[in-house]
Amino acid sequence: FPSGSVRMVPVSSTDMDRLQDISIHIPSFLKVGPERVTLSSVFTDWCSKYENFPVYQDDTWVVTYPKSGTTWTQELVWCLINDPKSPEAKLELKKRFPFFEFDSLISLDLDTTDIRKDDPMCPGNTWHIVQNLSAPRTIKSHLPKELLPKQIWQVKPKIVYVCRDPRDVCVSYYYHYIREHGYKNTFNHFVQLLLDDIMVYTPFWQHILNFWKMRHEDHILFLRYEDMKKDLAAVVRQVAAFLGRDVNEEQVSWLTHHCSFEEMSKNPAVNYETLRMAPTQEAKEIKFMRKGKVGDWRNHLTKEQQKAFKQWTLKYLQGTDFPYYQDYE
């Protein structure tokens, strides 16, 4: 069934069986658009709003597949555009750099008893924040290229896209779903959902490759999580230049420290510890900013899972010029 110009179909009954216990917040799932992106069925209520959302030249969007360094990049971008020592900088990131499509990921029937009324995680709050942002606006999204607002490709605001090794994404996403969605199935089950392009926001590789193909366009900056970990100061300068912000070495040093994992993990404005109660006891023991490491997949993936990731990766990257994440022994 169509919603605006976007076609949607329910996931197959087999896939629905595999997805039924991944989230206490999502009632059912759809395959959306020509690339059949897996999203919550709630997306039908929001698709037209997102598709026709007005975009402005001075917007800055951070777009990623989930768990690819999104929050890290948001804080860096916000601090380069705004005064990082202002009172506004202490506001929760979800209020000053909202998650564009968040309302489409949760059921309107979500129990909000234990959630603050101003929490962006309350249904409808994020859309209100997005609509009332002051210019220059900073907006985050995990939507793939095809589902972002149509005006993005006409107006061409700045877009910072970040990718990350899918093996580390998978591990981080797994813990995220335990923490935020009450996921109770096995890690192996989660791995297969990602590799089979059934997990929310998959297909993974199309998400990355569609932006990789546009990386030379003036309004798009393509970054890698691993490069941010390797030399954050260099990335600070790179992002500042892309955004047209002049920064001196003292500012670069301050931003590098402020945006370090150690500092962000204890910063209540960005570590999400102030937002909503965790759904399970196990979830309460997991931090939103858990490790932030490169290569943590080696501590989680079995030999069989590593082999499956290799076959999956090489299948999608065959014939492309994308050079990363193919370091399989």
Side-chain angles (χ1 to χ4, degrees):
F1 49 91
S3 178
S5 61
V6 179
R7 180 170 175 76
M8 308 183 194
V9 296
V11 299
S12 69
S13 58
T14 301
D15 288 350
M16 190 61 231
D17 287 343
R18 296 175 66 186
L19 287 166
Q20 64 180 349
D21 59 354
I22 70 162
S23 175
I24 62 174
H25 305 313
I26 303 176
S28 57
F29 298 86
L30 299 168
K31 288 291 188 178
V32 182
E35 293 187 347
R36 297 179 60 80
V37 179
T38 303
L39 292 171
S40 164
S41 57
V42 181
F43 192 77
T44 55
D45 299 327
W46 293 93
C47 183
S48 181
K49 295 184 180 72
Y50 296 157
E51 185 180 21
N52 297 300
F53 181 72
V55 176
Y56 305 127
Q57 184 68 50
D58 60 355
D59 286 349
T60 302
W61 291 66
V62 167
V63 181
T64 71
Y65 189 85
K67 311 311 294 181
S68 298
T70 323
T71 303
W72 193 10
T73 309
Q74 286 176 265
E75 181 68 3
L76 172 57
V77 167
W78 193 91
C79 288
L80 284 167
I81 292 174
N82 302 277
D83 179 0
K85 298 181 181 179
S86 66
E88 189 181 8
K90 297 186 182 302
L91 284 175
E92 293 157 342
L93 192 61
K94 282 182 177 286
K95 294 181 178 178
R96 52 191 166 94
F97 209 130
F99 181 178
F100 181 63
E101 72 274 10
F102 180 79
D103 291 303
S104 72
L105 297 176
I106 54 175
S107 170
L108 291 174
D109 298 327
L110 177 71
D111 181 3
T112 60
T113 305
D114 295 326
I115 306 177
R116 295 194 331 258
K117 297 304 179 185
D118 69 332
D119 192 321
M121 292 190 174
C122 281
N125 278 6
T126 293
W127 184 242
H128 176 77
I129 293 169
V130 169
Q131 289 186 303
N132 289 279
L133 279 178
S134 299
R137 305 183 306 182
T138 49
I139 302 172
K140 154 198 166 179
S141 180
H142 293 314
L143 289 175
K145 175 188 174 183
E146 64 186 278
L147 298 180
L148 288 167
K150 290 186 296 185
Q151 286 190 8
I152 275 191
W153 312 115
Q154 301 155 8
V155 177
K156 296 186 176 181
K158 299 286 188 182
I159 299 175
V160 180
Y161 186 88
V162 190
C163 73
R164 186 184 187 186
D165 188 318
R167 295 162 290 189
D168 280 334
V169 167
C170 184
V171 172
S172 183
Y173 209 14
Y174 165 70
Y175 284 107
H176 174 83
Y177 258 78
I178 294 174
R179 183 185 188 275
E180 301 292 336
H181 294 268
Y183 178 80
K184 294 180 180 179
N185 211 319
T186 66
F187 177 63
N188 186 62
H189 180 78
F190 194 92
V191 168
Q192 286 306 131
L193 290 177
L194 185 73
L195 294 180
D196 291 342
D197 291 328
I198 298 171
M199 189 57 202
V200 178
Y201 286 114
T202 59
F204 175 88
W205 280 114
Q206 282 93 324
H207 201 296
I208 290 178
L209 292 173
N210 282 338
F211 280 91
W212 174 254
K213 293 171 186 174
M214 298 188 292
R215 69 192 183 280
H216 297 307
E217 297 188 21
D218 291 341
H219 67 295
I220 292 177
L221 177 64
F222 191 100
L223 299 176
R224 289 200 315 137
Y225 182 96
E226 294 76 19
D227 292 333
M228 295 173 70
K229 291 293 291 187
K230 182 178 180 181
D231 191 347
L232 183 56
V235 174
V236 169
R237 297 185 191 98
Q238 184 182 11
V239 176
F242 174 70
L243 297 175
R245 281 354 192 230
D246 292 324
V247 290
N248 58 38
E249 286 309 301
E250 181 181 354
Q251 291 169 310
V252 170
S253 179
W254 187 91
L255 285 166
T256 301
H257 175 72
H258 176 72
C259 292
S260 67
F261 182 84
E262 292 72 24
E263 287 300 305
M264 288 190 63
S265 62
K266 62 186 181 184
N267 180 353
V270 299
N271 65 15
Y272 294 164
E273 297 301 321
T274 62
L275 296 174
R276 71 159 295 137
M277 296 297 291
T280 65
Q281 186 58 44
E282 184 180 8
K284 292 177 182 178
E285 298 172 3
I286 299 173
K287 298 291 186 182
F288 179 84
M289 293 189 169
R290 195 178 56 88
K291 285 188 177 181
K293 294 184 179 297
V294 171
D296 189 42
W297 60 267
R298 292 183 176 87
N299 299 317
H300 293 80
L301 297 179
T302 65
K303 292 294 184 183
E304 292 75 17
Q305 289 166 344
Q306 291 178 42
K307 182 179 179 180
F309 263 95
K310 176 181 180 179
Q311 293 173 340
W312 174 73
T313 297
L314 297 182
K315 178 183 75 172
Y316 278 108
L317 296 186
Q318 184 177 11
T320 77
D321 62 351
F322 187 83
Y324 306 111
Y325 314 136
Q326 300 174 62
D327 55 329
Y328 292 89
E329 297 175 358

